[in-house]
Amino acid sequence: MSIRATRARIIASAVALASVTAVSGASPAAGHDSAVQLDFIGEQELPNAMAFQGTTVGGLSAISYDIRTGLYYLISDDRSQTGPARFYSARVTFGGGHLTGAELIGTHSWLRPDGTTYPPTSTPAGQTATVAPDPEGIAVDPSDGSLVWTSEGERIVPSDGPAVLGDPWIRRATTTGEYSGQLPLPPQLHMNSQAVGPRRNQTLEGVTFTPDGRQLVTAMEDPLYQDGDDPTPAHGALTRITVHDARTGLPRAQYAYPLEPMFATPPAGSTDTNGVSDLVALGDDRFLVLERASVFSTNTWKARLYLVDLHGATNVLGRDSLADGPVRPVHKTLVSDLSDIPGLPRVDNVEGITLGPRLPDGRRTVVLVSDDNFASRQVTQFIAFAADGI
């Protein structure tokens, strides 16, 4: 493992959203608090293709901290290809104000309602397709320590055969992976063989509980078909953040989130874009949101953290298309572009964010994790900051 503990103060600064205004037809809502400061306090890496308790570690797409036990939970986006769909528990340690260690301590498979593991996706001729989950988000319920996780579902629409569709989901589970329930989705988030609803691999990417445990908040990675095109170098886009009642599971509100344009021009025909990869709640209406973009062919990544405020944003719950009328998106303020951090050895496919414990000086730790896509040219990183204003 390697560690970098160079400290770099990153002061929150305003972000120009002219491209988003052009997409939405409205200015973003005014925020009421943007005083967040981050100090970079270290990076740890896990060995590539590390073997652990009968699994190959990789695809770590989200992270969530349990303040009561001190454990971290990490979800792998393995679609039951190298092993059953699963998650890991870990310890992340700090000393002297720096990140000093990151160690996996356990793993469990996600279980279906009948208690079995998830098989890989298969489409046998003349039979009903088996659709594996695409695990992306994980969050610890602060009320009881149980887990919630998201799957992006599946959408395969061939030109000469039946479509293979699997809805995204938000499921509850125990800390050993047993199924304990599923939350309802807004109707716009169900998969469709027509060009409406979510795009493939661009659905429920992030999930978080508010600190009081009363609300569960999810983020779509990119726009629904009817909400507009994905971000390009020329323009941003609008995706959706949904607020659920954590106890009943019912959606309570939904807001448009303004995505930044792509940072580079991807190759023709690629699916490279910019999207929300995770979020963590700071309160009922304040969040840190992680946007991640890539040009996969050149292994080039960009990850940016934004402070997001829901105050004054339009509630679009029930609206089929964000193009149906004026929309005031949530307000966002740039906190950090990871490419600008001195001492950080690289920026890989950073996909997960959580709040960790407080340091002795009272600052809250913020921990990020990267998804190596099970690729030898990529890396699993744990990146830590100390935060003021949280």
mmCIF file of all heavy atoms in Angstrom, residues 235-256:
data_model
loop_
_atom_site.group_PDB
_atom_site.id
_atom_site.type_symbol
_atom_site.label_atom_id
_atom_site.label_comp_id
_atom_site.label_asym_id
_atom_site.label_seq_id
_atom_site.Cartn_x
_atom_site.Cartn_y
_atom_site.Cartn_z
ATOM 1 N N HIS A 235 -22.011 20.999 -23.619
ATOM 2 C CA HIS A 235 -23.105 21.338 -22.711
ATOM 3 C C HIS A 235 -23.198 20.326 -21.570
ATOM 4 O O HIS A 235 -22.769 19.176 -21.686
ATOM 5 C CB HIS A 235 -24.450 21.393 -23.444
ATOM 6 C CG HIS A 235 -24.891 20.091 -24.043
ATOM 7 N ND1 HIS A 235 -25.401 19.051 -23.297
ATOM 8 C CD2 HIS A 235 -24.900 19.659 -25.334
ATOM 9 C CE1 HIS A 235 -25.708 18.040 -24.087
ATOM 10 N NE2 HIS A 235 -25.406 18.375 -25.331
ATOM 11 N N GLY A 236 -23.787 20.779 -20.477
ATOM 12 C CA GLY A 236 -24.098 19.904 -19.357
ATOM 13 C C GLY A 236 -25.452 19.238 -19.563
ATOM 14 O O GLY A 236 -25.950 19.133 -20.689
ATOM 15 N N ALA A 237 -26.060 18.807 -18.473
ATOM 16 C CA ALA A 237 -27.344 18.109 -18.549
ATOM 17 C C ALA A 237 -27.996 18.140 -17.177
ATOM 18 O O ALA A 237 -27.398 18.582 -16.194
ATOM 19 C CB ALA A 237 -27.142 16.673 -19.024
ATOM 20 N N LEU A 238 -29.235 17.669 -17.132
ATOM 21 C CA LEU A 238 -29.961 17.579 -15.872
ATOM 22 C C LEU A 238 -30.281 16.122 -15.558
ATOM 23 O O LEU A 238 -30.850 15.416 -16.387
ATOM 24 C CB LEU A 238 -31.270 18.372 -15.937
ATOM 25 C CG LEU A 238 -31.163 19.898 -16.031
ATOM 26 C CD1 LEU A 238 -32.547 20.512 -16.164
ATOM 27 C CD2 LEU A 238 -30.433 20.470 -14.826
ATOM 28 N N THR A 239 -29.906 15.702 -14.365
ATOM 29 C CA THR A 239 -30.335 14.396 -13.879
ATOM 30 C C THR A 239 -31.208 14.611 -12.643
ATOM 31 O O THR A 239 -31.594 15.746 -12.350
ATOM 32 C CB THR A 239 -29.129 13.491 -13.600
ATOM 33 O OG1 THR A 239 -29.597 12.162 -13.331
ATOM 34 C CG2 THR A 239 -28.286 13.995 -12.443
ATOM 35 N N ARG A 240 -31.556 13.537 -11.924
ATOM 36 C CA ARG A 240 -32.552 13.664 -10.858
ATOM 37 C C ARG A 240 -32.047 13.100 -9.529
ATOM 38 O O ARG A 240 -31.411 12.047 -9.487
ATOM 39 C CB ARG A 240 -33.845 12.932 -11.248
ATOM 40 C CG ARG A 240 -34.483 13.436 -12.536
ATOM 41 C CD ARG A 240 -35.882 12.886 -12.696
ATOM 42 N NE ARG A 240 -36.444 13.196 -14.010
ATOM 43 C CZ ARG A 240 -37.745 13.315 -14.255
ATOM 44 N NH1 ARG A 240 -38.630 13.143 -13.276
ATOM 45 N NH2 ARG A 240 -38.188 13.591 -15.471
ATOM 46 N N ILE A 241 -32.377 13.827 -8.461
ATOM 47 C CA ILE A 241 -32.166 13.392 -7.084
ATOM 48 C C ILE A 241 -33.540 13.177 -6.459
ATOM 49 O O ILE A 241 -34.403 14.049 -6.560
ATOM 50 C CB ILE A 241 -31.372 14.440 -6.287
ATOM 51 C CG1 ILE A 241 -29.925 14.515 -6.787
ATOM 52 C CG2 ILE A 241 -31.408 14.140 -4.796
ATOM 53 C CD1 ILE A 241 -29.113 15.607 -6.125
ATOM 54 N N THR A 242 -33.759 12.015 -5.834
ATOM 55 C CA THR A 242 -35.058 11.683 -5.268
ATOM 56 C C THR A 242 -34.945 11.510 -3.757
ATOM 57 O O THR A 242 -34.040 10.837 -3.270
ATOM 58 C CB THR A 242 -35.625 10.390 -5.880
ATOM 59 O OG1 THR A 242 -35.652 10.511 -7.313
ATOM 60 C CG2 THR A 242 -37.037 10.122 -5.378
ATOM 61 N N VAL A 243 -35.882 12.112 -3.028
ATOM 62 C CA VAL A 243 -35.934 12.020 -1.571
ATOM 63 C C VAL A 243 -37.078 11.082 -1.193
ATOM 64 O O VAL A 243 -38.228 11.306 -1.577
ATOM 65 C CB VAL A 243 -36.144 13.404 -0.931
ATOM 66 C CG1 VAL A 243 -36.229 13.292 0.592
ATOM 67 C CG2 VAL A 243 -35.034 14.367 -1.348
ATOM 68 N N HIS A 244 -36.740 10.028 -0.446
ATOM 69 C CA HIS A 244 -37.737 9.060 0.021
ATOM 70 C C HIS A 244 -37.930 9.205 1.528
ATOM 71 O O HIS A 244 -36.994 9.538 2.253
ATOM 72 C CB HIS A 244 -37.265 7.628 -0.246
ATOM 73 C CG HIS A 244 -37.155 7.251 -1.672
ATOM 74 N ND1 HIS A 244 -38.042 6.393 -2.294
ATOM 75 C CD2 HIS A 244 -36.246 7.595 -2.624
ATOM 76 C CE1 HIS A 244 -37.689 6.229 -3.551
ATOM 77 N NE2 HIS A 244 -36.600 6.943 -3.771
ATOM 78 N N ASP A 245 -39.139 8.916 1.991
ATOM 79 C CA ASP A 245 -39.366 8.724 3.414
ATOM 80 C C ASP A 245 -38.685 7.407 3.794
ATOM 81 O O ASP A 245 -39.009 6.348 3.253
ATOM 82 C CB ASP A 245 -40.858 8.663 3.710
ATOM 83 C CG ASP A 245 -41.161 8.542 5.190
ATOM 84 O OD1 ASP A 245 -40.768 7.516 5.787
ATOM 85 O OD2 ASP A 245 -41.792 9.453 5.748
ATOM 86 N N ALA A 246 -37.737 7.459 4.709
ATOM 87 C CA ALA A 246 -36.945 6.270 5.004
ATOM 88 C C ALA A 246 -37.751 5.160 5.653
ATOM 89 O O ALA A 246 -37.414 3.979 5.522
ATOM 90 C CB ALA A 246 -35.764 6.638 5.894
ATOM 91 N N ARG A 247 -38.799 5.487 6.345
ATOM 92 C CA ARG A 247 -39.587 4.461 7.036
ATOM 93 C C ARG A 247 -40.621 3.808 6.113
ATOM 94 O O ARG A 247 -40.776 2.599 6.107
ATOM 95 C CB ARG A 247 -40.266 5.072 8.268
ATOM 96 C CG ARG A 247 -39.274 5.685 9.248
ATOM 97 C CD ARG A 247 -38.532 4.661 10.105
ATOM 98 N NE ARG A 247 -37.530 3.851 9.406
ATOM 99 C CZ ARG A 247 -36.268 4.242 9.197
ATOM 100 N NH1 ARG A 247 -35.852 5.422 9.594
ATOM 101 N NH2 ARG A 247 -35.418 3.441 8.594
ATOM 102 N N THR A 248 -41.347 4.617 5.339
ATOM 103 C CA THR A 248 -42.346 4.046 4.436
ATOM 104 C C THR A 248 -41.735 3.675 3.092
ATOM 105 O O THR A 248 -42.294 2.858 2.363
ATOM 106 C CB THR A 248 -43.495 5.039 4.186
ATOM 107 O OG1 THR A 248 -42.990 6.177 3.450
ATOM 108 C CG2 THR A 248 -44.093 5.510 5.503
ATOM 109 N N GLY A 249 -40.617 4.299 2.744
ATOM 110 C CA GLY A 249 -39.990 4.077 1.450
ATOM 111 C C GLY A 249 -40.560 4.901 0.325
ATOM 112 O O GLY A 249 -40.011 4.915 -0.783
ATOM 113 N N LEU A 250 -41.646 5.610 0.561
ATOM 114 C CA LEU A 250 -42.325 6.330 -0.519
ATOM 115 C C LEU A 250 -41.527 7.566 -0.942
ATOM 116 O O LEU A 250 -40.987 8.288 -0.098
ATOM 117 C CB LEU A 250 -43.723 6.748 -0.069
ATOM 118 C CG LEU A 250 -44.705 5.609 0.199
ATOM 119 C CD1 LEU A 250 -46.000 6.163 0.783
ATOM 120 C CD2 LEU A 250 -44.975 4.828 -1.089
ATOM 121 N N PRO A 251 -41.470 7.840 -2.252
ATOM 122 C CA PRO A 251 -40.836 9.072 -2.709
ATOM 123 C C PRO A 251 -41.603 10.292 -2.204
ATOM 124 O O PRO A 251 -42.835 10.331 -2.279
ATOM 125 C CB PRO A 251 -40.911 8.971 -4.236
ATOM 126 C CG PRO A 251 -41.146 7.530 -4.538
ATOM 127 C CD PRO A 251 -41.936 7.005 -3.381
ATOM 128 N N ARG A 252 -40.870 11.296 -1.687
ATOM 129 C CA ARG A 252 -41.483 12.507 -1.159
ATOM 130 C C ARG A 252 -41.224 13.725 -2.030
ATOM 131 O O ARG A 252 -42.034 14.650 -2.063
ATOM 132 C CB ARG A 252 -40.958 12.777 0.251
ATOM 133 C CG ARG A 252 -41.309 11.715 1.251
ATOM 134 C CD ARG A 252 -40.671 11.986 2.603
ATOM 135 N NE ARG A 252 -41.039 13.301 3.129
ATOM 136 C CZ ARG A 252 -40.584 13.798 4.280
ATOM 137 N NH1 ARG A 252 -39.731 13.094 5.009
ATOM 138 N NH2 ARG A 252 -40.966 14.971 4.698
ATOM 139 N N ALA A 253 -40.091 13.755 -2.700
ATOM 140 C CA ALA A 253 -39.724 14.909 -3.527
ATOM 141 C C ALA A 253 -38.640 14.474 -4.494
ATOM 142 O O ALA A 253 -37.971 13.447 -4.299
ATOM 143 C CB ALA A 253 -39.239 16.074 -2.660
ATOM 144 N N GLN A 254 -38.489 15.271 -5.540
ATOM 145 C CA GLN A 254 -37.458 14.998 -6.536
ATOM 146 C C GLN A 254 -36.972 16.324 -7.099
ATOM 147 O O GLN A 254 -37.770 17.258 -7.282
ATOM 148 C CB GLN A 254 -38.002 14.108 -7.652
ATOM 149 C CG GLN A 254 -36.958 13.534 -8.580
ATOM 150 C CD GLN A 254 -37.596 12.595 -9.598
ATOM 151 O OE1 GLN A 254 -38.205 13.040 -10.566
ATOM 152 N NE2 GLN A 254 -37.475 11.287 -9.366
ATOM 153 N N TYR A 255 -35.673 16.402 -7.386
ATOM 154 C CA TYR A 255 -35.072 17.661 -7.824
ATOM 155 C C TYR A 255 -34.139 17.419 -9.003
ATOM 156 O O TYR A 255 -33.529 16.351 -9.134
ATOM 157 C CB TYR A 255 -34.292 18.308 -6.676
ATOM 158 C CG TYR A 255 -35.128 18.537 -5.443
ATOM 159 C CD1 TYR A 255 -35.092 17.635 -4.378
ATOM 160 C CD2 TYR A 255 -35.985 19.625 -5.366
ATOM 161 C CE1 TYR A 255 -35.879 17.825 -3.251
ATOM 162 C CE2 TYR A 255 -36.785 19.822 -4.240
ATOM 163 C CZ TYR A 255 -36.723 18.927 -3.189
ATOM 164 O OH TYR A 255 -37.521 19.111 -2.081
ATOM 165 N N ALA A 256 -34.045 18.426 -9.857
ATOM 166 C CA ALA A 256 -33.119 18.380 -10.979
ATOM 167 C C ALA A 256 -31.723 18.756 -10.500
ATOM 168 O O ALA A 256 -31.542 19.742 -9.788
ATOM 169 C CB ALA A 256 -33.574 19.339 -12.078
#
